[in-house]
Amino acid sequence: MGRVTDSPVETRTGPLDAATVDALRALAAAAAAQDGVPPLSEQPLLWLAGDEPAITHLLVRTDGPAPVGYAQVDLRDPAQAAAELVVHPAQRRRGAGTALLSAARAAATTSAPGRSGEPADAGDHDGPGALTVWAHGDLPAARALAVRLGLPVARELWQMRRPLDPADPPPSPVLPAGVTVRPFEPGRDEDGWVRLNARAFAHHPEQGRLTRTDLEQRMAEPWFDPAGLLLAERDGTPLAAGWTKVLPDADEGEVYALGVDPDAQGQGLGRVLTALMLRHLAERGLHQVLLYTEGDNLPAVGLYRAAGFERSAVDVAYRA
């Protein structure tokens, strides 16, 4: 069996055709079955069939039409370029991962600030071509590749979990004075949620950049339930939002996103919405709940630990 790198890396932009999307989803599913963790997160999966022009798709094939390796590079902000990649379990250790990473770094370098005559802002990135590469599950193969290529760890995304008892849901918390909490209303709340989310996650490289289109893509997913997206308001002004996610036929729920407007911090809204989300998930009959948070976000980690969560897994971002 020859090396995968005998085949060139294909580069595509724009929407992928349906057959390629299906093949890439099957590739990701095969890797998840082998590794016990999905290799691609939610947004890259949505972008497989999306028309975001700043997303670059990199594919490696061998003898057949189905890709055996894939990487996606997010170049919406070239100063914060990021990539995720997957190689079929049967094709690993044959150079596909290295080839995809090299192609991803080349894509980031080509689009980096300063490459089109504009000055690079050294305060926003680590130099032209800097690239964040996510490794979900912190698997040994990804660690070995990072060590071999000399890639340092840039971020850790913690997965945290706690049990739920549908027969004994958490009590409803006391709301701060003047605050009301209501479910999201499609057709009314989209723009308000996008503004609130951008303020709450202004310094977050992924969550803070969600657009109305990104929100609508999630609203079109089969798991979306407006009753699970809670808005905290005072006098009609959004202060915070807590979003839950439950996949169809799942016994596990997720605290999908929790954001508090900077001007409303210090009022206990994060604690209140966390309790309400846990109560909502318990009342749906779920027995487990998970969430993701940055490992160095000590206030968030402390909030979730106080609510009964403990770290259960970690995703690692390497800096290329």
Side-chain angles (χ1 to χ4, degrees):
M1 182 179 291
R3 290 181 60 78
V4 170
T5 47
D6 293 340
S7 302
V9 176
E10 302 174 27
T11 301
R12 297 194 190 182
T13 57
L16 298 173
D17 61 88
T20 300
V21 171
D22 289 344
L24 291 175
R25 290 185 179 275
L27 169 61
Q34 172 71 25
D35 301 329
V37 59
L40 302 177
S41 54
E42 178 185 59
Q43 187 61 67
L45 289 172
L46 291 172
W47 274 330
L48 290 178
D51 58 0
E52 171 56 61
I55 300 302
T56 295
H57 306 277
L58 305 171
L59 300 91
V60 171
R61 309 176 197 268
T62 50
D63 299 328
V68 300
Y70 171 73
Q72 185 180 111
V73 189
D74 177 4
L75 298 172
R76 290 175 299 161
D77 180 354
Q80 300 185 55
E84 300 189 19
L85 63 88
V86 55
V87 177
H88 194 284
Q91 301 287 346
R92 293 174 179 172
R93 303 181 67 84
R94 297 177 57 209
T98 301
L100 288 167
L101 182 56
S102 295
R105 295 174 77 171
T109 300
T110 301
S111 66
R115 294 288 166 159
S116 59
E118 298 179 359
D121 183 351
D124 289 340
H125 60 89
D126 295 334
L131 178 70
T132 298
V133 183
W134 281 100
H136 298 289
D138 194 20
L139 300 173
R143 288 200 303 271
L145 178 62
V147 169
R148 181 163 58 83
L149 298 178
L151 307 183
V153 174
R155 293 167 59 191
E156 287 189 352
L157 184 67
W158 285 16
Q159 182 186 105
M160 304 182 75
R161 270 187 163 82
R162 61 153 285 173
L164 285 176
D165 184 356
D168 186 22
S172 294
V174 176
L175 299 181
V179 173
T180 58
V181 177
R182 65 173 177 85
F184 179 92
E185 293 184 24
R188 170 189 174 188
D189 292 324
E190 286 86 347
D191 289 337
W193 182 89
V194 171
R195 286 193 297 270
L196 171 64
N197 183 75
R199 285 179 55 81
F201 294 97
H203 301 293
H204 195 284
E206 293 95 23
Q207 183 71 22
R209 290 192 286 171
L210 291 181
T211 64
R212 176 159 179 159
T213 298
D214 295 326
L215 172 61
E216 290 172 345
Q217 285 180 327
R218 287 156 175 77
M219 292 172 63
E221 290 291 296
W223 57 262
F224 177 72
D225 176 12
L229 176 45
L230 305 176
L231 300 176
E233 299 176 326
R234 180 181 286 116
D235 299 327
T237 300
L239 304 176
W243 195 350
T244 62
K245 175 180 178 179
V246 183
L247 296 174
D249 302 320
D251 187 45
E252 180 178 69
E254 179 180 347
V255 171
Y256 184 60
L258 172 63
V260 180
D261 189 287
D263 291 342
Q265 292 179 356
Q267 302 179 38
L269 292 172
R271 174 184 55 79
V272 165
L273 285 175
T274 298
L276 290 173
M277 287 187 286
L278 292 176
R279 183 173 179 84
H280 171 76
L281 293 171
E283 289 175 344
R284 288 198 56 173
L286 301 170
H287 292 83
Q288 287 280 336
V289 58
L290 65 88
L291 59 83
Y292 295 87
T293 189
E294 298 286 337
D296 61 358
N297 187 342
L298 300 184
V301 170
L303 169 69
Y304 295 134
R305 280 185 165 151
F309 288 88
E310 293 295 338
R311 194 179 85 162
S312 57
V314 63
D315 295 338
V316 175
Y318 296 97
R319 197 65 171 163

